[in-house]
Amino acid sequence: MRLVSIQTELGTRVAAVRDGQYIDLHATDSSLPTGMNELLAGGQELLQRAEQAAKTGKGIDPGTVKLLAPVPNPPKVICIGLNYADHARETGKQPPPEPVVFNKFTTAVSAHGDPIVLPKLSKEVDFEAELVAVIGRCGRHIPVESALEYVAGYTCGHDVSARDWQQRKPGGQWLLGKSFDGFAPFGPELV
């Protein structure tokens, strides 16, 4: 199933993509939540109901609504840096023995196709294409063999970075260099 978040006259809605149209899941089945976070947190039971609504709901022309990031307000955006050998070498570093973990502020999240406004404070903005794994439900101390049970789906993303802030500010300001508004566009669809 392919899901998007859209802005309608009634507010933000989760929609399924079917035959080039959007199906407002809540309009089809009012027991389904209007927000992506709530839908994914409902686990397989809600996703199965969403899939059923996607098959029967009335289509909306995508040109009549605004496409948002698939998860417009994620509670966390956790990223892995230097996550492949070629990129690590490209930056002049060796791949680390453990992942470099950083985060982005939620104000960095933007939709596929939205403009990325370059900050006046940076002269070295760069980007990388990324695979985004969307975690659908909360968990802690999850055994490795159960980890994929918490992944709700995948989408495409950009990791936009102000390299001068990230690499040459005192202490290496990864958080600030990667969290300017709009520096985490992703989507268009969650698969």
Side-chain angles (χ1 to χ4, degrees), residues 43-105:
Q44 286 304 310
E45 188 264 327
L46 272 188
L47 288 174
Q48 287 170 352
R49 289 188 12 231
E51 194 167 19
Q52 195 58 35
K55 292 175 184 174
T56 60
K58 180 182 172 199
I60 300 170
D61 178 355
T64 64
V65 294
K66 177 172 175 28
L67 183 66
L68 305 171
V71 183
N73 55 347
K76 294 181 185 179
V77 179
I78 300 172
C79 309
I80 306 297
L82 302 172
N83 57 359
Y84 58 97
D86 285 349
H87 176 59
R89 283 191 286 279
E90 176 183 271
T91 64
K93 297 179 172 68
Q94 288 297 316
E98 290 189 26
V100 174
V101 178
F102 64 95
N103 68 302
K104 290 185 179 246
F105 296 127

Side-chain angles (χ1 to χ4, degrees), residues 9 83 123:
E9 293 175 351
N83 57 359
K123 302 295 181 223

Side-chain angles (χ1 to χ4, degrees), residues 113-142:
D114 280 355
I116 298 170
V117 178
L118 301 180
K120 293 178 183 178
L121 300 171
S122 176
K123 302 295 181 223
E124 295 179 41
V125 176
D126 192 8
F127 70 92
E128 305 162 61
E130 301 289 350
L131 172 66
V132 177
V134 176
I135 307 303
R137 58 187 182 136
C138 295
R140 251 176 231 232
H141 309 293
I142 301 164

